[in-house]
Amino acid sequence: MKRWYLYPFSLGYRTVTGLRNTCYDLGIFKSTKFQTPVINVGNLSVGGSGKSPMVMYLAKSLSKQYRTGVLSRGYGRMSKGYAVTNYESNYKTVGDEAMQLFERFKNRFVIAVSEKRVLGAQKVIEDMDLDVLILDDALQHRAIKAGLNILMTDFNDPYFKDYLLPAGDLRESRAGSRRADIIMVSKCPDELTDETKQYYISRIRPERGQKVFFSSIGYDENVYGREKILPDNNLNYYDILLITGIANPKPLLNHLAKFSQRVKHLKFRDHHNFTDGDIKNIVAEYKKLGEYKLILTTEKDFVRLKTFDYLRDLVYYWPINVVIDKKEEFNQEIMNFVNKR
């Protein structure tokens, strides 16, 4: 158990979340269902399970055939209400995850934010005439009844080994996995044996009709600056200051270690809003490095760091994508759902 001394508080948390879920299951609390196909990508734990790359993957794939939209809460933004991301948006108005999507894909699909998910879903579906909507991190937001629920769980920290808050990192009990149609074990090692897969499936114990898939993180072969591109195998020539404001930077650290051992890591909390003081500290650490040096960060953190004038031309980001085992079978599950609706 991660924080065993807090287990008594987890019992109270279990009672509250369990009662809430029961009220939704019995129809005491209203859950809105849409005629437009709605796919929800969520998890049981707090942060770091690979939801964002999966949302990217789905939106990119579906937008080839359908008018596709993504709706998120817009966590960390300094505004409220419903908004559609456009060229005038920034991370302060729509949040870093929405801006990350827009920076990569521009207007290939619709990206909207709203802390009131039902209202936001209604508005973006009607206003943008969507064929399919993807909800980012709404498994616990049961006021919307998605047609397809995808549950993400980290290979290195799966929900079946975790505990409820505050003793562990689960937002609701493991029983919440029963609402999932697909369970995606994310961030798997590149060499994943059939024996390991079977072990995870045996621990997950999928319900009838549930499908279990496995995926890993695929890093781009280049890192990108505002105007420059650097091949990853050139990172060996640099002293690197790594800046992360994500829930779990370990996969990035492990991948970076394959290219360079001269790394200084400054870790900030997930969705951290960098202050002038943070930037002064970053600059000070950067100046301590050798003659050949650069600042490296995640794609999500880049949308914030690049807004500071001094860092604009110094910082690079490393894009990631999800690599799905049995990709064709997974894609077919998604297409079957959308076409059926």
Side-chain angles (χ1 to χ4, degrees):
M1 187 176 294
K2 297 182 177 181
R3 297 175 288 272
W4 59 267
Y5 53 91
L6 294 175
Y7 184 69
F9 298 98
S10 294
L11 295 177
Y13 186 81
R14 181 187 185 94
T15 300
V16 173
T17 56
L19 180 61
R20 176 179 179 272
N21 279 324
T22 298
C23 287
Y24 275 110
D25 292 339
L26 296 177
I28 298 172
F29 291 167
K30 182 182 178 181
S31 187
T32 301
K33 188 174 182 179
F34 293 90
Q35 289 187 333
T36 298
V38 176
I39 301 173
N40 175 37
V41 180
N43 62 2
L44 296 182
S45 62
V46 288
S49 61
K51 295 186 300 295
S52 294
M54 178 54 65
V55 169
M56 279 190 189
Y57 177 88
L58 292 171
K60 179 182 178 182
S61 300
L62 289 170
S63 63
K64 295 175 182 178
Q65 298 185 45
Y66 303 101
R67 175 73 170 163
T68 303
V70 174
L71 177 67
S72 69
R73 175 186 169 190
Y75 187 83
R77 61 183 173 138
M78 300 177 187
S79 63
K80 290 186 177 182
Y82 171 82
V84 174
T85 308
N86 55 43
Y87 286 97
E88 295 181 358
S89 303
N90 57 58
Y91 74 93
K92 294 181 180 180
T93 59
V94 297
D96 51 15
E97 290 172 339
M99 274 313 299
Q100 176 187 349
L101 278 172
F102 188 79
E103 292 281 358
R104 186 186 286 203
F105 297 104
K106 303 306 181 200
N107 290 318
R108 184 166 178 172
F109 47 84
V110 180
I111 306 161
V113 295
S114 177
E115 67 275 13
K116 296 181 180 180
R117 299 292 184 96
V118 175
L119 177 63
Q122 290 172 337
K123 196 161 179 58
V124 71
I125 288 172
E126 294 174 5
D127 291 356
M128 300 299 172
D129 193 24
L130 297 184
D131 297 318
V132 59
L133 176 65
I134 302 166
L135 296 178
D136 183 7
D137 193 17
L139 189 65
Q140 286 75 40
H141 194 89
R142 299 194 60 186
I144 292 181
K145 184 174 178 59
L148 185 73
N149 283 301
I150 300 176
L151 169 63
M152 308 294 297
T153 188
D154 191 326
F155 175 89
N156 299 294
D157 192 16
Y159 72 84
F160 56 76
K161 291 184 178 180
D162 207 346
Y163 301 88
L164 275 170
L165 289 166
D169 291 321
L170 295 184
R171 298 190 243 187
E172 62 172 305
S173 74
R174 301 172 188 176
S177 64
R178 296 171 187 163
R179 300 198 305 275
D181 301 287
I182 293 173
I183 298 175
M184 177 67 72
V185 182
S186 64
K187 302 183 181 179
C188 296
D190 293 335
E191 301 297 329
L192 189 64
T193 65
D194 289 336
E195 289 78 11
T196 302
K197 292 178 186 177
Q198 288 304 315
Y199 166 75
Y200 272 74
I201 292 172
S202 69
R203 291 298 307 273
I204 289 171
R205 290 185 293 182
E207 302 280 322
R208 182 184 296 273
Q210 282 186 327
K211 299 293 182 67
V212 179
F213 290 91
F214 297 85
S215 64
S216 59
I217 295 175
Y219 286 86
D220 199 289
E221 294 181 349
N222 301 296
V223 297
Y224 297 81
R226 191 168 69 94
E227 296 181 349
K228 298 179 181 179
I229 300 175
L230 183 69
D232 56 14
N233 56 16
N234 284 4
L235 292 173
N236 184 52
Y237 300 110
Y238 295 86
D239 289 347
I240 297 172
L241 181 61
L242 178 65
I243 311 296
T244 62
I246 56 177
N248 181 14
K250 286 184 180 180
L252 175 56
L253 283 165
N254 292 337
H255 188 70
L256 180 56
K258 300 175 184 178
F259 299 90
S260 177
Q261 299 299 316
R262 304 196 308 275
V263 178
K264 169 71 175 181
H265 181 203
L266 295 183
K267 181 181 178 181
F268 297 86
R269 63 178 178 81
D270 197 16
H271 299 285
H272 181 70
N273 281 318
F274 294 96
T275 65
D276 290 335
D278 295 328
I279 301 306
K280 287 180 181 178
N281 183 45
I282 291 171
V283 171
E285 293 294 334
Y286 175 74
K287 289 180 177 179
K288 293 177 184 178
L289 302 180
E291 180 180 359
Y292 298 102
K293 54 193 174 184
L294 60 82
I295 298 174
L296 183 63
T297 191
T298 67
E299 192 172 5
K300 185 170 73 171
D301 293 313
F302 181 76
V303 301
R304 290 172 298 196
L305 289 172
K306 73 172 185 175
T307 62
F308 294 91
D309 291 339
Y310 186 85
L311 299 181
R312 186 171 295 152
D313 295 319
L314 300 178
V315 64
Y316 289 78
Y317 68 91
W318 210 337
I320 63 173
N321 294 290
V322 63
V323 180
I324 300 174
D325 182 51
K326 298 185 178 178
K327 175 181 174 181
E328 291 76 15
E329 183 181 340
F330 175 80
N331 289 347
Q332 193 60 55
E333 289 289 327
I334 301 301
M335 298 306 294
N336 286 346
F337 164 71
V338 175
N339 290 333
K340 184 172 64 176
R341 296 293 300 275

